[in-house]
Amino acid sequence: MPELPEVETTARGLRERLLGRTIVSVGSLDWPRMAPNATLDTLATTAVGRTIESIARRGKYVIVGLSGEAYLVLHRKMSGNLVLRTTDLPVAAHTHLTVAFDDGWRLDFVDPRKFGRIYLFLGRDALDIFLDERLGPEPLEIERTELDRLLERRRGRLKSLLLDQTFLAGIGNLYADEILWEARLHPQRSVESLSARERGRLHEAIQHVLSTAIERRGTSLSDYVDAEGEPGTNQNYLQVYGRAGLPCPREECGNTIVRTVVAQRGTWVCPTCQPIAGRRRLVRTTR
DNA sequence: CATTACCTGCAA
DNA sequence: TTGCAGGTAATG
């Protein structure tokens, strides 16, 4: 569920509340598989007494930096949320980790589907190795020329590529569809077939779609809420995702959006704005 | 490349 | 009851 804009919004909320706070207890790890490289004991022993020095996002991971070079790394997968509550409030259903702080606030990792993961790393090197072997560059920090270089080294379908976290970190199914609609590119288009102009549109669409979604504090379709427990508003501005049968929002278009499956994921496209063959080919076959 | 597994909740 | 869900790792 949470993709880059949702994780970024959450990280900002956590940063505001937690920087400088000291951890006083860690508990409720009722589903041990959520912490593949630590036990509740290790987490508690390591974290309690340490202070939050940094909160960062990398791809879809939130990285909580503790004093003494320890890092808690959280991934929410499909249904997870990281929510701040005061310790007088009861722990909600499906909460699988709680971290309590010295000022009466508590960070709860809530995840009905239990796909989420919590990792503990000691030392900057261990953290960097973990992240670098999973993640490509940050899409919002990439220049046009750098995107071109990355694309040159890849092949296959555009949508599969956008979903590949080692290509760019943080784009998921929803934003992949929104980006491809914005760029007027069909998800099945092969990377190799892109013209320079199309690569430019792709770069622009990545920047625009992700940054406006961050401004709107993310997309809340069913589960996602930010660190304060509040939904985002980007669900009110989706152009294609989940909108089968509705008209394409491009004024000059207005044709019907269809749902297909690409890379084993539900995929929404405007067949008119996003022709499966490039523009040149379409012109030829329609005359 | 595609398929399956991991989990639960919800809507059709 | 079935199918579907914003993710990723493991396995043909």
Side-chain angles (χ1 to χ4, degrees), chain A residues 189 195 198 275 277-287:
Chain A
R189 285 286 301 280
S195 67
E198 289 171 330
R279 179 165 181 73
R280 165 180 294 179
R281 193 119 176 250
L282 179 77
V283 170
R284 223 188 277 141
T285 52
T286 49
R287 39 169 302 183

Side-chain angles (χ1 to χ4, degrees), chain A residues 7-22:
Chain A
V7 182
E8 178 64 28
T9 303
T10 300
R12 290 178 184 181
L14 295 176
R15 201 175 289 137
E16 233 171 87
R17 170 68 59 191
L18 297 183
L19 277 189
R21 297 272 62 83
T22 297

Side-chain angles (χ1 to χ4, degrees), chain A residues 13 21 27 39 60 86 91 108 112 117-118 158 192 194 218 222 285:
Chain A
R21 297 272 62 83
T39 60
K60 299 171 193 169
T86 48
V91 173
D108 293 349
R117 292 292 179 263
I118 305 141
L158 264 189
E192 310 90 276
L194 292 183
S222 57
T285 52

Side-chain angles (χ1 to χ4, degrees), chain A residues 1-286:
Chain A
M1 147 210 186
E3 305 180 35
L4 187 153
E6 292 75 38
V7 182
E8 178 64 28
T9 303
T10 300
R12 290 178 184 181
L14 295 176
R15 201 175 289 137
E16 233 171 87
R17 170 68 59 191
L18 297 183
L19 277 189
R21 297 272 62 83
T22 297
I23 296 172
V24 296
S25 69
V26 177
S28 304
L29 187 63
D30 63 335
W31 194 255
R33 324 172 66 144
M34 287 188 75
N37 79 346
T39 60
L40 177 58
D41 259 12
T42 326
L43 286 170
T45 310
T46 309
V48 169
R50 300 211 198 207
T51 299
I52 309 288
E53 291 189 337
S54 63
I55 307 235
R57 177 195 61 75
R58 181 81 174 86
K60 299 171 193 169
Y61 293 90
V62 169
I63 301 149
V64 180
L66 307 179
S67 48
E69 292 232 330
Y71 299 90
L72 282 177
V73 175
L74 305 119
H75 196 301
R76 294 143 70 186
K77 295 287 178 81
M78 298 284 271
S79 60
N81 274 313
L82 294 166
V83 183
L84 294 162
R85 305 181 210 275
T86 48
T87 44
D88 55 308
L89 293 175
V91 173
H94 307 300
T95 300
H96 304 300
L97 189 76
T98 57
V99 181
F101 298 92
D102 55 353
D103 63 348
W105 284 76
R106 193 182 66 219
L107 172 61
D108 293 349
F109 193 169
V110 186
D111 185 4
R113 293 178 74 176
K114 302 175 180 166
F115 287 171
R117 292 292 179 263
I118 305 141
Y119 303 87
L120 172 68
F121 295 106
L122 299 177
R124 184 81 215 184
D125 289 351
L127 172 69
D128 287 341
I129 288 167
F130 176 85
L131 295 174
D132 289 347
E133 73 187 15
R134 286 169 175 74
L135 302 178
E138 283 294 319
L140 287 175
E141 287 168 18
I142 203 173
E143 302 281 342
R144 167 70 202 280
T145 50
E146 201 184 345
L147 179 64
D148 278 349
R149 270 197 298 114
L150 292 174
L151 286 168
E152 274 164 29
R153 291 192 227 123
R154 300 289 192 130
R155 31 184 52 232
R157 296 168 175 175
L158 264 189
K159 175 144 176 178
S160 310
L161 193 68
L162 290 180
L163 292 176
D164 182 346
Q165 302 300 294
T166 66
F167 174 65
L168 290 175
I171 297 169
N173 200 38
L174 185 154
Y175 291 107
D177 282 5
E178 293 293 304
I179 286 166
L180 291 169
W181 179 86
E182 180 73 26
R184 285 175 281 132
L185 296 169
H186 194 280
Q188 305 253 36
R189 285 286 301 280
S190 69
V191 177
E192 310 90 276
S193 76
L194 292 183
S195 67
R197 180 172 297 204
E198 289 171 330
R199 291 196 303 269
R201 295 211 305 262
L202 181 61
H203 179 260
E204 217 172 304
I206 289 169
Q207 311 295 316
H208 177 256
V209 168
L210 295 179
S211 55
T212 57
I214 291 171
E215 286 166 20
R216 294 174 184 144
R217 309 184 56 81
T219 305
S220 297
L221 290 181
S222 57
D223 298 315
Y224 165 69
V225 289
D226 66 17
E228 319 293 325
E230 297 295 325
T233 64
N234 195 244
Q235 63 278 10
N236 303 319
Y237 301 89
L238 295 176
Q239 310 288 322
V240 281
Y241 183 88
R243 300 177 60 80
L246 296 170
C248 171
R250 274 200 181 82
E251 282 191 23
E252 69 277 17
C253 177
N255 289 310
T256 305
I257 293 163
V258 300
R259 180 190 189 273
T260 61
V261 174
V262 179
Q264 287 75 245
R265 313 293 304 276
T267 297
W268 286 266
V269 293
C270 169
T272 311
C273 296
Q274 300 164 268
I276 200 156
R279 179 165 181 73
R280 165 180 294 179
R281 193 119 176 250
L282 179 77
V283 170
R284 223 188 277 141
T285 52
T286 49

